[in-house]
Amino acid sequence: MKFDSYEPGDFYDEMFLAKNQPRPQAAPLIERINALSEGELLQRQQAAQIALFKLGVTFNVYGDTQGTERIFPFDIVPRIVAADEWEQLERGLKQRIQALNLFIADIYSEQKIIKDGIIPAELIYSATGYLKPCMGLKPPGGIWCHITGTDLVRDKDGQWYVLEDNMRCPSGVSYVLENRRVMKSTFPQVFRSMDIRPVDEYPSYLLETLLNLAPPNLQDPRVVVLTPGIFNSAYFEHSFLAQQMGVELVEGRDLVVADGYLQMRTTKGLQRVDVVYRRIDDDFIDPLAFRADSMLGVPGLMEVYRAGRVAIANALGTGVADDKVIYAYVPQMIRYYLGEDQILANVPTYLCWEPKQLDYVLNNLDKLVVKAANESGGYGMLVGTQATPEQRQEFAQKIQANPRNYIAQPTLCLSRVPTLVDSHFAGCHVDLRPYILYGKEICVSPGGLTRVALKRGSLVVNSSQGGGSKDTWVLRE
Amino acid sequence: MLSRVADSIYWLNRYVERAENVARFVDANLTLILDSPAGISQQWEPLVVTTGDLQAFQNRYGEVTAENVTQFLTFDPANPNSILSCLQVARENARSIREIISSEMWQQINSFYLMVKEASPGQPLSKLHDFYTEVKLSSHLFAGVMDATMTHNEGWHFGQMGRHLERADKTSRILDVKYYILLPSVKYVGTTLDEIQWMALLRSTSAYEMYRKRISQHRITPTGVANFLILDRDFPRAIRFCLLQAERSLHQITGTPPGTWSDPVERSLGRLRSELDYLTIEDVVQRGLHEFLNDLQTQLNHVGGKIFETYFALHPIG
């Protein structure tokens, strides 16, 4: 199988400038794949899938009766990012995280940005991620968002855009690490010949980031990863990260508040916990402070947290920045808090709560993508270009009933990467989720999760919607 | 170590061991049938009796045939003690503590489970022998991988304790099978047929060769076999060996010196182990082998219950 017949088409292709004309950074890989004998690439693809299955690198699908565990479909043609390009992305992401962090800190204390009229108060208070009980909180070092997974896309002209920020519990980094492990055994020669930046340091950085939150002067702070449990869609990742860091993976039922501290139940009695990397949404983390019906959390945790006796990453309340309406204000935040222009652009966004913009959205539903402000995982959205008139009609009613809850964006033409589909190469649309850690300093893991829309022509890359993934290679200078 | 984690690693090992032992005694029976003289009916019921699941079997299958029993004990997802169910539970336990066990252990249990799941249910009896052999090997492989790749820490000792308590229980049940396998008449006691059955029993515990080497007379006698499988302190499937190992792990966990006790588990397990230390096979025969084994199983259950209460139960904090 060769790339001779591969058509980049009328899209931005990450690997090809034009037909049979690889981008310089991709040339060695293309050459290598073209040199493989017939069928060998397919064999390697299968071997990689089997390896992932045996490793149990799976995710759970809700409401699927055919066995809840699946492997995340994996494609062995990687996506390659040139060094200079990455350098710019990295600067942009750091700037963005810094501004978002200042914003969250401000929102839960002085609220200067509201007082100065940059963001309307009503938008903040109506965001589902805004948590009143977090007012006045002082997380260690003033850092709120320790782990972020920001979704980036690239449009037809090659321009990068930020699609959304995930400040609560972004997932997927485990696939980045496992995909890389499999790729190294699939293409060892290529790894030797190309200068690819390693991703394996992530668990060490993550542990450092978490230890950085521990109360000072503790001899041996105890860090735990808090998971909703084995049935959660990202359970594999929770377990993987705990394992890679060598810390305990705990569920709510393992924890209890006693003597004013968060403690875990061990075979030798209760033991103090100092830092929690939580993978549970805010709403569920403490039934006394938030949702009373939560079985996943720990009663009384909020009080211990407020008293500064346990640190939580990400801090509670950071979800306010995940609201897609708040997202639209990030460029303003960057200017307001940092006095800088944004390096990475937002996708142009229409806010339905502003009457003029609402009119535009309703009149152009066939051209736009509409998203609910607080949904994720590809749920609650309308891809106007692919919807029927009835579906658009139905969505228009939803928007009119609750304009605050909807935003709309032009349909971007996502860039493509050649991907093995039915034993030939087809261009598939991709996005990119890099992972950013904020400890003593801000650190962006080189690469991230490249998600692929495997259904023909589809623009939805989400794993819950049948997407797959690719390894992402960031090259050194 | 988290109570929940200790619980999971304990049951992970118990279930792997259980699957192995089910494979052992079904396989032993398959072999036994081949040696039985024509005219003697196949005896599958004792197998179901000794697992303690006779009622469930009768409700769902009715007739006791080789196909029904092997299906029930091997692939029946509704039987919680079938090999398939055991592996499923073992894997779920492993999945819930992947960050604690080594990734080699996880991979082994995962492939073990996939192997059993893929072995087609309802495959011909002729293929089953190979399948059971593979189950036994996979279980050994798991134990070996665990021994060689996991730090011998508290979690490892909880696993060892689970494995050895389960094995002690299953050896006692396999021995009990002979109680239920009826000879055509009392005349057959001590005949070739009787001896063949005891040999099959030894084989199902991989004890045949070790027995021949160990017992001074080399001959196969009912009391000799019972003595070996109950009281030997060096054979790894003998009940006394298992209890010694379980107790050793227990004291590694608690830090209490052997021969003393500080919690109910140490007391109940220590009592049971020391009883076997001073028992002779004549005492056992006098009490009746079946009665003795029954009582032993009750005491093992009692130890299991104490382990749960002492280390795993999550009591509310008030």
Side-chain angles (χ1 to χ4, degrees):
Chain A
M1 196 150 52
K2 311 221 182 313
F3 283 100
D4 298 347
S5 57
Y6 176 70
E7 290 286 350
D10 192 17
F11 299 94
Y12 186 91
D13 195 286
E14 301 277 346
M15 304 281 267
F16 285 88
L17 290 158
K19 187 169 178 179
N20 279 326
Q21 209 186 320
R23 291 183 186 279
Q25 70 266 21
L29 176 75
I30 307 274
E31 210 173 292
R32 174 75 199 138
I33 290 179
N34 277 336
L36 291 178
S37 66
E38 198 65 33
E40 200 176 340
L41 191 72
L42 278 174
Q43 268 172 26
R44 293 192 189 196
Q45 165 87 3
Q46 272 164 5
Q49 299 269 16
I50 290 168
L52 287 168
F53 197 61
K54 283 210 169 152
L55 288 166
V57 182
T58 54
F59 70 98
N60 296 345
V61 180
Y62 297 118
D64 182 346
T65 49
Q66 295 295 308
T68 51
E69 271 177 82
R70 286 207 209 140
I71 69 164
F72 196 10
F74 172 68
D75 185 78
I76 61 169
V77 183
R79 177 228 213 118
I80 300 173
V81 183
D84 53 342
E85 202 160 29
W86 179 255
E87 194 268 335
Q88 188 221 353
L89 288 182
E90 189 173 338
R91 278 194 303 122
L93 289 167
K94 285 183 177 171
Q95 178 197 51
R96 193 172 176 95
I97 298 311
Q98 207 185 346
L100 278 164
N101 188 64
L102 291 168
F103 164 73
I104 297 167
D106 183 24
I107 280 304
Y108 288 113
S109 57
E110 297 169 67
Q111 303 194 325
K112 285 188 289 192
I113 197 166
I114 297 179
K115 288 170 191 153
D116 287 337
I118 313 287
I119 294 184
E122 58 175 297
L123 279 190
I124 303 291
Y125 296 140
S126 60
T128 41
Y130 170 76
L131 300 178
K132 217 165 169 208
C134 293
M135 279 305 290
L137 267 182
K138 296 263 176 285
I143 307 168
W144 290 70
C145 45
H146 312 95
I147 300 113
T148 311
T150 298
D151 288 343
L152 304 174
V153 292
R154 201 204 270 264
D155 199 10
K156 202 166 181 169
D157 55 2
Q159 160 90 36
W160 289 93
Y161 292 100
V162 177
L163 195 60
E164 61 184 57
D165 304 288
N166 296 289
M167 319 281 297
R168 267 172 297 193
C169 320
S171 55
V173 74
S174 56
Y175 302 111
V176 173
L177 300 174
E178 290 291 66
N179 286 353
R180 177 60 59 86
R181 176 142 75 119
V182 168
M183 282 301 275
K184 277 194 209 156
S185 55
T186 309
F187 286 121
Q189 304 94 323
V190 180
F191 268 88
R192 250 169 279 151
S193 64
M194 289 175 77
D195 208 354
I196 302 161
R197 290 181 62 183
V199 294
D200 293 344
E201 291 146 304
Y202 184 84
S204 309
Y205 282 131
L206 179 59
L207 183 62
E208 279 308 316
T209 306
L210 296 170
L211 283 170
N212 185 47
L213 302 176
N217 309 323
L218 265 190
Q219 193 67 46
D220 200 4
R222 188 187 290 279
V223 177
V224 300
V225 176
L226 175 59
T227 174
I230 197 160
F231 298 109
N232 185 269
S233 64
Y235 178 77
F236 162 72
E237 172 152 308
H238 307 161
S239 145
F240 177 83
L241 290 175
Q243 180 195 48
Q244 295 298 306
M245 291 191 288
V247 306
E248 304 272 359
L249 178 70
V250 302
E251 297 176 19
R253 60 189 162 126
D254 298 320
L255 298 176
V256 65
V257 170
D259 301 331
Y261 285 95
L262 181 65
Q263 313 228 26
M264 57 183 208
R265 305 166 191 264
T266 78
T267 54
K268 300 197 161 67
L270 297 180
Q271 284 174 10
R272 220 179 110 175
V273 172
D274 305 300
V275 182
V276 179
Y277 176 25
R278 51 102 177 200
R279 297 295 299 254
I280 295 185
D281 273 350
D282 308 86
D283 289 357
F284 290 93
I285 213 161
D286 178 356
L288 297 183
F290 307 105
R291 281 180 67 147
D293 62 343
S294 171
M295 306 292 287
L296 305 173
V298 190
L301 175 59
M302 187 65 191
E303 210 181 306
V304 183
Y305 181 50
R306 188 171 271 290
R309 290 176 170 164
V310 67
I312 299 180
N314 287 347
L316 299 184
T318 49
V320 65
D322 283 353
D323 188 291
K324 293 185 173 71
V325 177
I326 307 287
Y327 148 91
Y329 285 87
V330 174
Q332 285 96 313
M333 290 175 201
I334 293 175
R335 223 164 295 129
Y336 181 76
Y337 292 111
L338 305 177
E340 297 170 8
D341 282 335
Q342 57 174 1
I343 300 169
L344 274 173
N346 266 14
V347 179
T349 302
Y350 303 97
L351 303 177
C352 297
W353 76 287
E354 286 195 354
K356 268 192 199 156
Q357 300 191 30
L358 175 64
D359 276 351
Y360 177 83
V361 171
L362 292 175
N363 290 325
N364 292 280
L365 274 182
D366 55 337
K367 300 185 193 73
L368 298 170
V369 178
V370 187
K371 295 176 182 169
N374 273 296
E375 296 276 359
S376 61
Y379 295 100
M381 64 188 272
L382 175 86
V383 181
T385 49
Q386 295 173 354
T388 63
E390 291 76 37
Q391 286 169 327
R392 289 201 287 266
Q393 184 62 32
E394 200 183 308
F395 231 80
Q397 284 166 6
K398 282 196 208 167
I399 299 169
Q400 280 163 316
N402 185 3
R404 159 64 179 86
N405 196 39
Y406 290 93
I407 59 146
Q409 294 168 338
T411 315
L412 297 184
C413 183
L414 306 189
S415 64
R416 305 202 313 181
V417 180
T419 301
L420 265 176
V421 177
D422 302 332
S423 43
H424 70 281
F425 292 116
C428 287
H429 297 289
V430 292
D431 77 349
L432 175 63
R433 176 181 287 183
Y435 296 87
I436 305 115
L437 296 172
Y438 194 163
K440 278 203 179 76
E441 50 204 33
I442 302 177
C443 151
V444 185
S445 178
L449 184 65
T450 290
R451 294 183 298 180
V452 196
L454 289 173
K455 284 186 206 152
R456 188 172 290 273
S458 171
L459 291 170
V460 183
V461 295
N462 211 282
S463 56
S464 325
Q465 312 288 332
S469 73
K470 283 172 173 292
D471 196 8
T472 313
W473 294 358
V474 172
L475 303 182
R476 278 199 191 88
E477 294 287 352
Chain B
M1 146 160 283
L2 285 176
S3 299
R4 176 177 55 78
V5 169
D7 191 13
S8 294
I9 197 163
Y10 171 86
W11 282 107
L12 162 60
N13 280 276
R14 278 202 85 141
Y15 273 106
V16 170
E17 184 68 28
R18 188 170 296 178
E20 179 190 326
N21 282 286
V22 173
R24 283 180 179 284
F25 59 70
V26 181
D27 196 33
N29 218 39
L30 282 170
T31 322
L32 190 56
I33 284 161
L34 302 178
D35 287 328
S36 298
I40 290 194
S41 60
Q42 297 186 7
Q43 303 197 40
W44 283 97
E45 191 170 299
L47 256 61
V48 188
V49 172
T50 49
T51 56
D53 295 322
L54 184 63
Q55 193 62 50
F57 175 81
Q58 281 171 340
N59 290 346
R60 306 218 346 271
Y61 289 80
E63 206 189 342
V64 184
T65 63
E67 282 78 11
N68 282 349
V69 172
T70 50
Q71 171 65 21
F72 177 71
L73 293 176
T74 312
F75 297 115
D76 187 346
N79 170 15
N81 292 315
S82 71
I83 294 176
L84 178 62
S85 299
C86 286
L87 260 307
Q88 205 158 11
V89 180
R91 180 175 178 274
E92 280 305 279
N93 274 299
R95 204 157 81 84
S96 76
I97 52 168
R98 273 177 76 164
E99 76 291 355
I100 300 291
I101 62 179
S102 66
S103 47
E104 288 85 352
M105 281 168 73
W106 160 253
Q107 279 185 51
Q108 173 52 25
I109 194 75
N110 197 33
S111 336
F112 189 179
Y113 165 72
L114 294 173
M115 183 275 284
V116 171
K117 193 168 158 245
E118 279 157 23
S120 83
Q123 62 178 304
L125 287 175
S126 56
K127 290 270 173 63
L128 279 175
H129 172 70
D130 290 343
F131 171 76
Y132 293 130
T133 306
E134 206 171 338
V135 169
K136 285 186 263 180
L137 281 177
S138 300
S139 166
H140 288 175
L141 190 50
F142 176 77
V145 165
M146 176 163 165
D147 188 65
T149 60
M150 183 177 176
T151 303
H152 291 197
N153 55 13
E154 191 185 352
W156 187 85
H157 282 296
F158 268 109
Q160 290 299 104
M161 205 158 66
R163 171 176 303 129
H164 285 108
L165 288 175
E166 181 68 26
R167 191 182 287 172
D169 178 77
K170 287 300 171 285
T171 297
S172 86
R173 285 174 196 271
I174 290 172
L175 201 47
D176 215 12
V177 171
K178 185 66 180 92
Y179 171 83
Y180 289 99
I181 294 187
L182 299 175
L183 291 168
S185 83
V186 79
K187 283 188 299 187
Y188 280 81
V189 175
T191 60
T192 321
L193 180 57
D194 193 19
E195 191 176 319
I196 282 172
Q197 290 182 351
W198 285 106
M199 277 164 66
L201 197 144
L202 282 171
R203 286 221 169 84
S204 69
T205 51
S206 299
Y208 176 71
E209 290 145 43
M210 294 299 145
Y211 175 90
R212 288 281 197 205
K213 289 188 214 323
R214 169 92 188 176
I215 302 296
S216 50
Q217 293 177 320
H218 311 293
R219 282 214 193 99
I220 301 208
T221 63
T223 47
V225 175
N227 188 31
F228 188 63
L229 289 181
I230 297 172
L231 295 178
D232 197 87
R233 55 175 296 141
D234 300 319
F235 180 66
R237 310 200 71 82
I239 295 169
R240 185 158 165 226
F241 175 93
C242 292
L243 292 182
L244 281 164
Q245 292 300 317
E247 196 190 22
R248 190 180 144 256
S249 281
L250 176 64
H251 284 275
Q252 291 289 324
I253 292 165
T254 58
T256 315
T260 63
W261 61 275
S262 63
D263 70 26
V265 184
E266 289 170 334
R267 182 155 175 266
S268 57
L269 183 53
R271 263 172 93 159
L272 185 55
R273 190 265 311 146
S274 60
E275 191 195 336
L276 291 196
D277 281 351
Y278 298 101
L279 204 65
T280 65
I281 196 62
E282 287 72 28
D283 298 335
V284 173
V285 171
Q286 208 160 32
R287 261 161 74 182
L289 179 60
H290 173 65
E291 288 69 22
F292 170 82
L293 294 172
N294 233 347
D295 183 45
L296 184 86
Q297 285 158 22
T298 310
Q299 292 189 63
L300 284 169
N301 285 342
H302 181 71
V303 172
K306 293 284 178 214
I307 290 175
F308 173 79
E309 282 166 32
T310 309
Y311 305 119
F312 305 154
L314 302 176
H315 299 291
I317 311 270

